[in-house]
Amino acid sequence: MPRVLRASAMGLTDLLASHESFHVPEFQRVYGWGEVEIKRLLGDLTTALGAPDQRLFLGTVYLATPEGSGSAQVADGQQRLLTASILYAVARDLSPPQDSERLQELVMSPVTGQPRFMPRDRDAA
């Protein structure tokens, strides 16, 4: 059966909420972002929050989604997705309860109760 490729543009929040879990295949490179890259992403996100009528392009993310599965394999975009998930978790922890509920749904799967994006064991450090 031929594979179907779909492309869609969506915001980071919609992307994180689009799957119950994200997995990084073993053949992908290790998570390698350091302070410089994380600060750059955080700065871009902060700038975008100050201009809500503007869109911020974070780059293309490639996911492989097995049919009928709520999970996605990350073919490209691991660095950005994992870092964004960490930032959402920090924002959740620092937010007042009325705001943290929506962030909790983005960080944790309401179905499994597990984090949507977990790094591989070799990337966890």
Side-chain angles (χ1 to χ4, degrees), residues 23-125:
H23 303 280
V24 179
E26 286 301 317
F27 61 81
Q28 290 292 343
R29 65 183 173 163
V30 298
Y31 179 83
W33 273 19
E35 189 174 331
V36 170
E37 295 85 3
I38 294 169
K39 281 184 175 180
R40 185 178 309 132
L41 177 61
L42 187 55
D44 289 345
L45 293 171
T46 302
T47 299
L49 286 172
D53 56 330
Q54 299 280 329
R55 291 214 175 246
L56 172 65
F57 181 67
L58 291 176
T60 304
V61 173
Y62 292 97
L63 303 174
T65 54
E67 204 166 313
S69 170
S71 67
Q73 285 191 342
V74 180
D76 186 43
Q78 171 194 190
Q79 316 291 322
R80 288 166 284 155
L81 286 177
L82 180 52
T83 304
S85 295
I86 292 168
L87 292 173
Y88 274 116
V90 170
R92 174 204 59 199
D93 293 348
L94 297 175
S95 295
Q98 66 271 18
D99 297 331
S100 66
E101 196 171 304
R102 175 65 178 137
L103 293 167
Q104 174 72 0
E105 291 174 3
L106 293 173
V107 174
M108 304 294 283
S109 165
V111 174
T112 66
Q114 299 294 314
R116 287 185 192 267
F117 197 114
M118 282 292 291
R120 294 171 294 186
D121 288 343
R122 66 182 178 171
D123 295 326

Side-chain angles (χ1 to χ4, degrees), residues 4-16:
V4 176
L5 295 176
R6 291 183 324 200
S8 60
M10 64 178 64
L12 183 58
T13 300
D14 292 334
L15 176 62
L16 289 174

